[in-house]
Amino acid sequence: MGSVLWILIRRQWWLAPVILVAAGLAGERIVIAHLRAQLLACQAAAVKQQASIAQLRAGIAAQNLGVENLLDAAHRAQERVATAGKARQLAAARALSTAARRVARIEAAPVPSPCASAAAWGVEQAAGLARGWGR
């Protein structure tokens, strides 16, 4: 049997390199198929991550818009408060000016000499000031 094997090996020697090359090509094909599968998985993961990034960007943009709206609303509210405060200050200044003019008129007016008349006149002037201040 040893001689038959030796005869086959001597006659078919060229098959050994062909078998080795075929085995190498088969191994390369297996590696290429595995790498293609990994590439497809990485591409799918990249698409998924890009979609996630786009969704996060949209969420951040919406939050930024909400913050801008809140800041604008707060600014408008502060402006309204400031305008109302200025209006109150202007009204108080006008009332004070009116009261000061009335006090000046009262101080310049002649006070009646009889005591009862002077008291009645003072009460009347005080009531007028109180009515004017309440406006």
Side-chain angles (χ1 to χ4, degrees):
M1 179 142 146
S3 62
V4 174
L5 184 60
W6 183 249
I7 293 171
L8 282 175
I9 290 175
R10 278 189 346 173
R11 287 188 186 172
Q12 306 296 330
W13 64 267
W14 56 273
L15 281 176
V18 171
I19 291 171
L20 289 174
V21 168
L25 289 176
E28 284 182 14
R29 284 185 180 162
I30 291 171
V31 169
I32 289 171
H34 177 69
L35 291 176
R36 280 188 181 153
Q38 283 183 335
L39 175 65
L40 291 175
C42 288
Q43 287 174 339
V47 168
K48 189 175 182 180
Q49 292 300 321
Q50 288 173 347
S52 175
I53 288 170
Q55 185 179 12
L56 290 172
R57 282 185 179 157
I60 289 170
Q63 287 177 348
N64 287 344
L65 181 62
V67 168
E68 287 178 19
N69 289 340
L70 286 174
L71 290 175
D72 287 344
H75 181 68
R76 286 192 303 273
Q78 287 175 346
E79 286 177 347
R80 285 193 301 270
V81 167
T83 301
K86 286 178 185 176
R88 282 192 304 271
Q89 286 176 348
L90 184 59
R94 284 182 184 155
L96 185 60
S97 175
T98 302
R101 281 195 310 269
R102 286 185 179 166
V103 168
R105 274 190 248 134
I106 292 170
E107 287 177 345
V111 179
S113 12
C115 190
S117 296
W121 179 83
V123 169
E124 182 181 319
Q125 298 306 317
L129 280 174
R131 281 192 308 273
W133 191 258
R135 267 193 257 162

